Every structure is written in structure tokens, then in C-alpha cells.
């Protein structure tokens, strides 16, 4: 089969479309014929050699993907050949105490598709059936490939960790990213009023079209927390969805109201930041670290993907042999939503 692999550490040019052995489905596993894959910021960390847990190149990257069931391993009962499926990339062990307690996203032996082992930039992948998600009919393969992970993040942050309630004000910082576009939709679905930060007139329109009530252009207003205060009668937002990292985390804290919650996940502008502790302590902010949803949470948001309340936002679709160009697009300033690799 063909796979888009990195041949070494470096920029997007490290990707090569190469011939590799087709995997087969072991006991309890399903072989998936992949039709689309979603690009993810994790690619950049691995590609640049900053993720110590990845195997050395050559490696097939790709965290997100969707396709159809091509073959069943021994003992698989929940799927049949031809079923359309998406992938939960969190390969939990299903045996450790958190897994047995239903908290599989906290698995003590977690291995992530496309991070700890070969991923979805390939024609086939074999995975345990517990990682397969039945596809909502409404979604085509491109949307399906990027319809799980951004919502696994946004749902876990806003619903599970943030406990966002109808009528609250949610600030989504960096609303043009894959997870940002998902967060605007999830916050609206939870009944919140949404303020979003983004750049450029075009992105502002796109964010409003997703349902944002107010948009702050962070290029025009770099101190976006001041703008958020103005939009909230001087108080600040009840909840802040922060996925940008060092460049924005202090302002995100300042944008929350006294007693507000700041939800943090993602750090592509830097993992270490200087924070004024008084901005947390004196204003009694709750800062909640976040990662990804477990299976029960995925089951909560799947109906919203099926009925159209949540619609994955796609920036661009690239053919399988254009992995280099697709990777370059990840860092484009005007990117809005997810970059998809179409696999033929
Ligand atoms: Zn486990």
C-alpha cells in the first residue's frame, strides 16, 4: 500500500509517498481502507523531532482518519465489511484501572495513532474495534476524518471540564483553528453566548457564520482581554477556551471574570509562559487543564454531528500525493478549520 511517511526530522518537505507493507487485522482488530485523513498540529511536533515518544523516521504520521471496514480480525462483532467508520486515535488498553472505570482517555498505557505508531496517512490501517466510531450518514469522508478529534477536544473542555451552562459567556481564543471552530459550535450548542478572537476580516465573517455572537480581531486589539471586558459590561467571560499557549494564556486569564474558569489545552506558541499569579489568585480563577474525550463523551456529541448541530469546518483538501503542500498549509495564517488529505 501507499503511505505518506516522514523520511527524517524537518519541515513539510520531509514527507514522501512510499510503498509499505499493508497491515492485516489481528484478533479483535479491524482493517480500515482509509479514504481521508485530517492533519493535526501533532504532526509538526513529531516531524520536527520534538515528540520523544515517537518511533524514529521513517514513520507514517496522521492522527485523524476515516474510511470503510475492509477486513475483520478474529472475534470482531460490532462491525461488518463495508461499514463507514471514523477513528478514535486514543488507543487505550481497556485493562488498566482508569480504562475499566470508563475513563479510557486517562489510560495508563495510552498510545496515540500517528504519534506512538504509524498513523492515517496511508491506504490502510489496522486498529482494535474499540477505536472505531460508526459514521453519521450525513458526513462524507472528508468531514468524517476531521469530525472526531476537534470535538473530542472542544467537548471535553467545554462540557466535561468547563461545565458550561446555557446563558454563560464563553470566550474562544484563536477561533480559526480546527479546535477553535469546533469550540464555537460546541459552546453555541450548549446555549452559551460566544465571543471569539481571530484575525482578518474574512475570518471574522467565517467565525460569525459559525455562530459567534461577538468577534474580536486580535491584530487590531492585541490586548483582547480589554475588548472582552468591554463586551461583558466590565466583568469578563464566564469561561475561556484557551488553545494557543504562551502567546495568549496570560490574556486569557485576564479575560475571565472574577471566579471564572479558564480551560487550557494546546501550546503551539510555546509550552512555558510567565503568569502573574495575582491575576489567578486575587480574581479566584479556576484553571482547568484539559486533553481529549473518552468513549462516553464521544457518544454524547455524536448525535450532534449526526443532526447537523456540529459541522466540521474544512479549510482545504489535498490529494494523497500532495502531503508536503498540505503540511505547509497547516501553518498558513489564513487557514480556517482543518486541512484534509484525500486518500485514493
Ligand atoms: Zn488503560
Amino acid at each position: 500500500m501507499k503511505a505518506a511517511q516522514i523520511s527524517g526530522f524537518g519541515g513539510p518537505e520531509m514527507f514522501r509517498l512510499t510503498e509499505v507493507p499493508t497491515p492485516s487485522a489481528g484478533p479483535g482488530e479491524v482493517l480500515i481502507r482509509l479514504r481521508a485523513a485530517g492533519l493535526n498540529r501533532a504532526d509538526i511536533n513529531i516531524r520536527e523531532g520534538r515528540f520523544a515518544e515517537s518511533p524514529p523516521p521513517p514513520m507514517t504520521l496522521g492522527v485523524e482518519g476515516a474510511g470503510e471496514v475492509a477486513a475483520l480480525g478474529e472475534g470482531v462483532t460490532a462491525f461488518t465489511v463495508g461499514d463507514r467508520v471514523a477513528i478514535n486515535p486514543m488507543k487505550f488498553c481497556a485493562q488498566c484501572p482508569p480504562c475499566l472505570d470508563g475513563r479510557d482517555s486517562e489510560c495508563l498505557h495510552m498510545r496515540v495513532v500517528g504519534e506512538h505508531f504509524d498513523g492515517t496517512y496511508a491506504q490502510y490501517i489496522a486498529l482494535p474495534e474499540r477505536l472505531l466510531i460508526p459514521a453519521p450518514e450525513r458526513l462524507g469522508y472528508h468531514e468524517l476524518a476531521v469530525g472526531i478529534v476537534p470535538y473530542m477536544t472542544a467537548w471535553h473542555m467545554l462540557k466535561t471540564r468547563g461545565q458550561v451552562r446555557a446563558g454563560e459567556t464563553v470566550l474562544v481564543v484563536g477561533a480559526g483553528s480546527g479546535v477553535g471552530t469546533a469550540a464555537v459550535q460546541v459552546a453555541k450548542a450548549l446555549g452559551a453566548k460566544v465571543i471569539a478572537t481571530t484575525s482578518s476580516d474574512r475570518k471574522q465573517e467565517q467565525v460569525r457564520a459559525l455562530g459567534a455572537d461577538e468577534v474580536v480581531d486580535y491584530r487590531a486589539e492585541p490586548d483582547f482581554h480589554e475588548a472582552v471586558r468591554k463586551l461583558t459590561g466590565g466583568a469578563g467571560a464566564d469561561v475561556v477556551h484557551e488553545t494557543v499557549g504562551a502567546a495568549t494564556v496570560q490574556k486569557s486569564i485576564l479575560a475571565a471574570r472574577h471566579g471564572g474558569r479558564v480551560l487550557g489545552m494546546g501550546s503551539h506558541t510555546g509550552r512555558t509562559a510567565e503568569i502573574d499569579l495575582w491575576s489567578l489568585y486575587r480574581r479566584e480563577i479556576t484553571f482547568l487543564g484539559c486533553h481529549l474525550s473518552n468513549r462516553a463523551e464521544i457518544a454524547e456529541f455524536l448525535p450532534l454531528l449526526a443532526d447537523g448541530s456540529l459541522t466540521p469546518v474544512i479549510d482545504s483538501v489535498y490529494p494523497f500525493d500532495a502531503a508536503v503542500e498540505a503540511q505547509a498549509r497547516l501553518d498558513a495564517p489564513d487557514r480556517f478549520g482543518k486541512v484534509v488529505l484525500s486518500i485514493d
Side-chain angles (χ1 to χ4, degrees), residues 93-94 96 99 107-108:
C93 75
C96 72
C99 281
C107 176
L108 302 178

Side-chain angles (χ1 to χ4, degrees), residues 2 27 30 46 77 83 99 118 190 203 216 296 303 312 329 331:
K2 289 193 174 70
V30 172
I46 298 166
T77 54
D83 283 352
C99 281
D118 283 340
L190 296 173
K203 279 195 183 182
V216 176
R329 180 68 193 160
D331 269 332

Side-chain angles (χ1 to χ4, degrees), residues 1-22:
M1 69 166 183
K2 289 193 174 70
Q5 293 195 319
I6 49 167
S7 55
F9 294 128
E13 72 282 359
M14 299 314 291
F15 273 89
R16 304 269 183 281
L17 197 59
T18 52
E19 198 67 34
V20 299
T22 303

